[in-house]
Amino acid sequence: MPTSDDAMGDALDRLFATRGAALAETAIILPAEPYLDTAGEALRRRIFLTRGEGGENLCLRPDFTIPVCMRHIAEGADLPRRYSYRGLVFRQRADGPGEFVQAGIEDLGEENRATADARAVADALASLETCGVSPDHLDVILGDQGLFEAVLRALGLPEGWQRRLIRTFGHDGQLRAALENLSRAPESALGDVAPDLLDLARDREEGALTRLIRMRMEEAGLPLHSGRSPGEIAARLIEKVAVAEARLGEGPLQLLETFLAIDCPLDEAGDRLADLMGTVGLDLGRAMTAFQTRNLALQAANVDLARVTYRAAFGRPIDYYTGLVFEARERGAEDPLVGGGRYDRLMTILGADMPIPAVGFSLWLDRIERVSNSGVSA
């Protein structure tokens, strides 16, 4: 099996086996649609695409998470199950070769999410140490998309705005631009909407709005059974109006920005979050309980919370993440040596019959080898 360093790869294989992760082999040439549909722009624009003989979109394997999950679904294997992998992935990169070796673990079907999350972080850090990278020379950053989504819900933002902000999580510039739009006067995106339709949409009168749209379509001689139905048009218009006219007042916007500015040791994060939400009487409910439970599980897995940084605005630019996200980097560096997170929605998107909780991590072995060889591990 190819690797940037045989001894490092063999050591990882042994570690993964002791952690109960069975080796998963996947094809190098894969269907491109799962990546195009789920991975997000940051990964999509780096994929090497081609076409099969039948005209289907194919790609060189850009990661292992999606093909490991697809293989599990195709085989209908029992759950819970842990898979390991090590092999070449292919991405267009400005700072390195287009093919490099990744290794990692995907943890599927463990219902105790706190335990699985903690195990992923602990195994990722153990993998780095196995490769000769000392924990004393790491920056470990943890974020939680679930907490971010809970704050948006607690602030009462329309669902359209929530989705827009969630899509920007992990993209600092895009998130800042979205927040600036949310604080400004209403957008002029509704100038082409007839006043009577606009009034009904503002009042969320979906039934009356549907009837009026149907009547207008009939008057214009438009077929009712091609394209979107009058009901779908009405629902979309109601959401469009709510998004265009929703604005956060100074207080809620400041609360959201204060939340996103939290950057502290993980062992202090629970109190910081509780104090912030308590001052305004917001309850983050199950998301906060899950955060605290995961911290206890991390401690039980011998992860030192004082050496992990919780950053409320930290996300990873891959669209399928849903909760925990984390990275470990050489101290002061920007590129991760290992990164991972929770992706509970991905399995059903890929075709699983029922929701399957899932979390995993990937190691960049070329970066790890450079750090190990530089003496940082000493």
Side-chain angles (χ1 to χ4, degrees), residues 53-107:
E53 291 184 358
E56 68 274 24
N57 289 319
L58 301 172
C59 66
L60 290 174
R61 180 175 61 208
D63 86 337
F64 276 89
T65 299
I66 285 177
V68 167
C69 291
M70 292 178 67
R71 171 182 164 165
H72 172 85
I73 293 168
E75 294 179 349
D78 294 335
L79 292 169
R81 187 169 294 253
R82 307 192 87 206
Y83 296 99
S84 68
Y85 56 84
R86 181 165 61 91
L88 284 171
V89 295
F90 304 84
R91 298 183 194 177
Q92 301 180 57
R93 298 196 295 177
D95 60 344
E99 61 180 67
F100 54 98
V101 178
Q102 281 197 331
I105 291 178
E106 307 300 339
D107 195 333

Side-chain angles (χ1 to χ4, degrees), residues 86-287:
R86 181 165 61 91
L88 284 171
V89 295
F90 304 84
R91 298 183 194 177
Q92 301 180 57
R93 298 196 295 177
D95 60 344
E99 61 180 67
F100 54 98
V101 178
Q102 281 197 331
I105 291 178
E106 307 300 339
D107 195 333
L108 309 181
E110 174 55 64
E111 295 293 342
N112 189 325
R113 287 166 172 77
T115 295
D117 285 356
R119 187 164 55 195
V121 175
D123 286 354
L125 297 178
S127 298
L128 290 177
E129 197 158 7
T130 295
C131 293
V133 181
S134 169
D136 295 332
H137 298 282
L138 291 175
D139 289 329
V140 184
I141 304 105
L142 182 146
D144 191 327
Q145 183 167 322
L147 267 181
F148 177 62
E149 294 181 15
V151 171
L152 298 181
R153 288 193 299 271
L155 290 174
L157 281 174
E159 289 186 5
W161 257 114
Q162 290 186 40
R163 286 195 292 273
R164 182 182 296 190
L165 290 171
I166 290 166
R167 283 196 298 270
T168 68
F169 192 65
H171 305 269
D172 292 343
Q174 294 179 28
L175 179 57
R176 173 53 51 189
L179 290 175
E180 288 176 358
N181 286 336
L182 190 54
S183 67
R184 289 202 295 258
E187 301 171 1
S188 58
L190 304 174
D192 58 344
V193 180
D196 51 352
L197 296 175
L198 191 57
D199 288 342
L200 289 173
R202 284 190 177 120
D203 294 337
R204 305 187 70 84
E205 293 285 351
E206 189 168 351
L209 183 59
T210 298
R211 290 191 292 273
L212 182 55
I213 290 171
R214 180 181 289 109
M215 183 180 72
R216 295 282 169 83
M217 291 175 70
E218 290 172 346
E219 290 173 351
L222 297 175
L224 299 178
H225 301 295
S226 63
R228 296 194 188 109
S229 70
E232 290 170 332
I233 295 172
R236 283 178 175 267
L237 181 57
I238 288 171
E239 180 176 308
K240 179 180 178 180
V241 170
V243 168
E245 298 190 341
R247 290 297 173 271
L248 275 181
E250 184 176 345
L253 182 62
Q254 184 176 21
L255 173 67
L256 181 54
E257 292 179 334
T258 302
F259 164 74
L260 290 170
I262 294 176
D263 187 339
C264 66
L266 185 56
D267 60 346
E268 300 174 11
D271 290 340
R272 290 277 297 273
L273 289 164
D275 289 345
L276 175 61
M277 297 304 153
T279 59
V280 292
L282 287 184
D283 182 6
L284 300 184
R286 288 182 294 180

